[in-house]
Amino acid sequence: MKLKKITCALFFMVTFPAVAADKGTLTIPTTAVTGNPLGVGSDQMVVPISILNGRELSLKRENTLAETLNSIPGVSNSSFGPSVGRPMIRGMDSDRVKILQNGVNNLDASNLSSDHGVSIDPLIIEQIDVIRGPATLLYGGGAVGGVVNAIDHRIPKEKLQGITGRGEVRYGGANLEQSNAAVVDVGTGNFVMHFDAYNRDSKNLRIPGNAISNRLESMQVWDPAIDVPVGGVSEGGYAIYPTNHGRKKLLNSQSETRGGAVGASMIFDRGYAGVSYAKHQTKYGSVKEPGILLDMDTDRIDFASEIRDLGSFFERAKFRAAYTDYRHHEMGGGEIHSTFKNKGIDGTFELAHAPLMGLKGILGTQFDNGKFDAIGHEAFLPNSKTNSQSLYVYEELPLNQHKMTFGLRHGKHEVESKGGGEDAQFGNPSRKKFNTNNAAIGGLYALNEQWSLTGNLSHNERAPSYFELFAKGVHTATGTYQEGQSDLKKEKSNGLDGQIRWKSGQDSLTFGAYFNKFSNFIGLLSTDSTEPVHSEDEGDITYKKSTFSGIKAEFKGVELEGKTMLTDYVQFNVRGDYVDAKDKTNGGYVPRISPLKLGAGLKYEFDRFGARLDVLHAFKQDRVASNYNYQGGKELMTDAYTNVSMMATYKLPTQLNLEAFTRANNLLDEEIREHTSFLKDIAPIGGRSIMFGLRGEF
């Protein structure tokens, strides 16, 4: 309640003193591309990068970070219901996709389990950079799939005299969301303070029909006494899960989110130094388990500083670090079933050197120290510690209008299990050490002023995570018995990525292709073994066992994105992506791979009015995994769908810089199930809906 009052007060501060708007497009201050430490624009990046910022980001914000990015080619949502979703990039997720906040790791437990949310709310983010493809040199050996960097202004970097800010309120959607957010920066010149606050409440998601898909419903077990489905079975006869998830509404899909931050910086002529504190709280239902709530709470302290014009061989020094205290409770019937805690510090230090024989680049080091604790009878992991230190170098060599890039990274990683657990299930304490080496070489060749070619060749290594090494027990969210392998080797792959780009004025077209070959891809694979488990509530249950194992795998795909002005006021957009991921050891496919998607849209803007129509068609996904054990059953196919959405905006003719907007989703009211979702067969996305909002800035 207190945070809601603060948010409303800040929103009043934002909108009341706003000045009159002109007839141009509303804009929000943007941040330079962070995917390149030398500060070049996205057009000069060798690796594929997409940027969401300003008004475009404001109008695309959704419940989760992954849902906000769902329109970017190659990016999909590995959702666990409407309140939980982690971005997948090119068919890869978990530790292969780094989620950063201001260039520093976002520490939570979303990489561990599909039902754990990402502790970043899009409402206060000013810019999101998405690097598709290996970004292991600058962000660690784990970033084989890509990087998502969410940027806020909680640590101001530029001088400010006076006050600036923005605010937003919205209501509606398939989950009847009520949300508002406000961001205010106040400065006296060299000293600048930042404040933000947000809240979001949503109800159970409205869906077109049954929560259960037809394919899964055909596998149900019915209780004739009450004439309702009570569970499912796999082909082997193992229990899947209770299936009373609702009709027209997705049961237990509600959520409540609160958060805010305060930051301050001293701005100097040659740099800045600042600190911020942020709080994020969210409570949401588990769609898979009616009656189960997850209560997340995150405290984060950031420090950042940069000094320029050092007057020596090194021109610039930059330091960023964050301490995070993350915890969440899994609750049922008012009691805490289990608690997960993750505390740690992560940081980077970079030195940019003066040009040397034409080369311009940086030397950097990264460190992270984390402690993970699992408490309760549902804990399937031992308490553990992870420590990593890395050194890296990144260089660019301009060759007239062309460019070459290359880099190296060496990392040392230590993962320690405390052992113990109920009935000593995790065994004795254990410690594993890994050395990783990553390298990349790339280039940009300008054919002329409009056309260019890019290519990037990389070798990538990732150390196994603590859950891949030491898990042992029932993971209730997925309904599987998971077992890590302490003798896992590091994950290795070689990747090739290329793009052809065309740009002329406001028109552009980009087509890219990629290929990643893993000599050791760590995945959770089903086995023929079973594990009997005794539960005080449910008695003896037999689970199929899944183990984290290394396989050979290949990922390849294509991506397309383009836009062109049909008239002075109408823009045509097109997008598409396709990924094919094969298990070369056992045959078949890697699970949860997005199908072929093709989309097109029209965008109109004139004077105060704007409108947009988008159509996205996802084809049927029948390339399913044969050795994938989820909820005790095999991966099922997913039907094709067509998602039609519309948006309209209007800049109010007042002295206040305000813009009203409305957004309609799933206009055809189709039953849409995302193949990348863990719960696609019991949790479709929302049905036909409309949302209204008002945003302002000054």
Side-chain angles (χ1 to χ4, degrees), residues 348-369:
T348 62
F349 177 70
E350 294 178 349
L351 288 170
H353 66 75
L356 179 64
M357 295 185 293
L359 290 172
K360 189 175 182 180
I362 64 160
L363 303 174
T365 179
Q366 181 180 5
F367 61 91
D368 67 80
N369 184 318

Side-chain angles (χ1 to χ4, degrees), residues 151-342:
I151 304 163
D152 54 56
H153 293 319
R154 287 172 168 171
I155 297 181
K157 299 180 181 179
E158 297 179 356
K159 294 181 180 180
L160 175 65
Q161 188 73 47
I163 179 172
T164 65
R166 64 176 176 88
E168 181 176 318
V169 294
R170 55 175 68 191
Y171 175 79
N175 57 355
L176 292 180
E177 173 190 332
Q178 300 179 60
S179 61
N180 54 75
V183 178
V184 175
D185 289 317
V186 181
T188 60
N190 289 350
F191 181 72
V192 184
M193 293 197 68
H194 170 97
F195 304 91
D196 68 60
Y198 57 92
N199 71 275
R200 185 198 304 271
D201 292 332
S202 63
K203 310 299 182 183
N204 283 336
L205 187 74
R206 291 177 294 174
I207 56 178
N210 289 323
I212 307 299
S213 69
N214 292 332
R215 285 191 174 88
L216 184 59
E217 193 171 22
S218 66
M219 302 168 63
Q220 299 308 302
V221 175
W222 288 74
D223 185 340
I226 55 177
D227 195 32
V228 295
V230 295
V233 294
S234 68
E235 292 180 343
Y238 301 98
I240 299 181
Y241 42 69
T243 58
N244 185 19
H245 293 276
R247 175 175 173 79
K248 296 298 182 181
K249 284 190 178 181
L250 188 60
L251 300 182
N252 206 34
S253 60
Q254 75 286 350
S255 67
E256 298 177 1
T257 300
R258 306 285 185 271
V262 59
S265 290
M266 285 297 300
I267 315 297
F268 310 103
D269 292 337
R270 296 189 298 119
Y272 69 91
V275 64
S276 69
Y277 165 76
K279 180 83 169 180
H280 177 82
Q281 298 173 310
T282 184
K283 182 182 291 186
Y284 58 91
S286 172
V287 175
K288 183 255 176 184
E289 301 172 285
I292 299 297
L293 293 175
L294 285 84
D295 189 356
M296 290 172 44
D297 195 329
T298 303
D299 294 277
R300 176 172 166 130
I301 300 173
D302 281 79
F303 175 80
S305 180
E306 181 177 5
I307 302 176
R308 301 179 293 270
D309 302 325
L310 294 178
S312 61
F313 176 71
F314 291 108
E315 297 180 328
R316 184 182 75 249
K318 179 185 292 186
F319 177 72
R320 296 170 295 191
Y323 170 78
T324 305
D325 184 355
Y326 168 91
R327 55 211 173 274
H328 86 248
H329 304 298
E330 299 185 1
M331 308 170 63
E335 298 182 353
I336 297 177
H337 293 178
S338 57
T339 297
F340 295 93
K341 298 180 179 180
N342 210 352

Side-chain angles (χ1 to χ4, degrees), residues 588-654:
Y589 298 92
V590 175
R592 296 190 306 107
I593 298 301
S594 177
L596 169 64
K597 292 183 178 180
L598 294 174
L602 291 172
K603 182 180 178 181
Y604 171 82
E605 286 191 355
F606 177 73
D607 198 37
R608 297 182 179 274
F609 180 74
R612 181 163 184 158
L613 171 68
D614 288 290
V615 180
L616 176 67
H617 181 76
F619 290 77
K620 179 180 179 180
Q621 180 57 290
D622 55 7
R623 295 170 291 127
V624 296
S626 58
N627 62 343
Y628 178 56
N629 176 21
Y630 188 77
Q631 305 289 4
K634 65 180 182 179
E635 183 179 29
L636 302 179
M637 293 186 294
T638 305
D639 292 329
Y641 67 80
T642 300
N643 190 356
V644 180
S645 61
M646 292 184 65
M647 178 183 296
T649 62
Y650 182 69
K651 300 166 190 173
L652 301 181
T654 68

Side-chain angles (χ1 to χ4, degrees), residues 238-525:
Y238 301 98
I240 299 181
Y241 42 69
T243 58
N244 185 19
H245 293 276
R247 175 175 173 79
K248 296 298 182 181
K249 284 190 178 181
L250 188 60
L251 300 182
N252 206 34
S253 60
Q254 75 286 350
S255 67
E256 298 177 1
T257 300
R258 306 285 185 271
V262 59
S265 290
M266 285 297 300
I267 315 297
F268 310 103
D269 292 337
R270 296 189 298 119
Y272 69 91
V275 64
S276 69
Y277 165 76
K279 180 83 169 180
H280 177 82
Q281 298 173 310
T282 184
K283 182 182 291 186
Y284 58 91
S286 172
V287 175
K288 183 255 176 184
E289 301 172 285
I292 299 297
L293 293 175
L294 285 84
D295 189 356
M296 290 172 44
D297 195 329
T298 303
D299 294 277
R300 176 172 166 130
I301 300 173
D302 281 79
F303 175 80
S305 180
E306 181 177 5
I307 302 176
R308 301 179 293 270
D309 302 325
L310 294 178
S312 61
F313 176 71
F314 291 108
E315 297 180 328
R316 184 182 75 249
K318 179 185 292 186
F319 177 72
R320 296 170 295 191
Y323 170 78
T324 305
D325 184 355
Y326 168 91
R327 55 211 173 274
H328 86 248
H329 304 298
E330 299 185 1
M331 308 170 63
E335 298 182 353
I336 297 177
H337 293 178
S338 57
T339 297
F340 295 93
K341 298 180 179 180
N342 210 352
K343 296 182 180 181
I345 185 169
D346 183 276
T348 62
F349 177 70
E350 294 178 349
L351 288 170
H353 66 75
L356 179 64
M357 295 185 293
L359 290 172
K360 189 175 182 180
I362 64 160
L363 303 174
T365 179
Q366 181 180 5
F367 61 91
D368 67 80
N369 184 318
K371 180 182 179 183
F372 173 84
D373 293 328
I375 305 168
H377 65 274
E378 293 184 0
F380 64 101
L381 288 163
N383 297 341
S384 61
K385 289 184 177 180
T386 301
N387 293 287
S388 298
Q389 301 85 34
S390 300
L391 295 173
Y392 56 91
V393 57
Y394 174 84
E395 299 289 340
E396 293 188 356
L397 178 63
L399 299 170
N400 296 323
Q401 71 271 36
H402 317 303
K403 178 172 64 175
M404 287 191 65
T405 67
F406 63 89
L408 300 169
R409 183 184 184 107
H410 175 72
K412 293 183 177 294
H413 315 271
E414 182 177 281
V415 188
E416 179 183 357
S417 165
K418 297 297 183 180
E422 293 187 10
D423 301 322
Q425 70 187 88
F426 303 123
N428 296 323
S430 176
R431 181 178 300 174
K432 298 295 177 180
K433 295 183 179 181
F434 303 91
N435 292 327
T436 57
N437 296 290
N438 296 271
I441 183 170
L444 183 150
Y445 183 81
L447 299 173
N448 53 43
E449 292 184 356
Q450 287 81 37
W451 291 91
S452 62
L453 299 173
T454 67
N456 198 58
L457 179 65
S458 63
H459 172 75
N460 313 290
E461 297 182 358
R462 180 180 72 88
S465 63
Y466 60 94
F467 54 88
E468 293 169 331
L469 293 167
F470 303 125
K472 189 173 184 180
V474 177
H475 186 195
T476 56
T478 59
T480 59
Y481 187 95
Q482 297 185 6
E483 188 171 73
Q485 302 293 320
S486 61
D487 59 350
L488 283 174
K489 306 298 183 183
K490 58 188 177 182
E491 190 171 84
K492 291 184 179 182
S493 67
N494 294 314
L496 178 63
D497 190 295
Q499 284 189 325
I500 180 168
R501 303 172 181 173
W502 173 80
K503 185 173 183 180
S504 177
Q506 299 183 62
D507 302 339
S508 64
L509 179 67
T510 301
F511 177 79
Y514 59 89
F515 177 78
N516 287 306
K517 184 174 184 178
F518 287 82
S519 59
N520 188 44
F521 179 88
I522 301 174
L524 184 63
L525 306 180

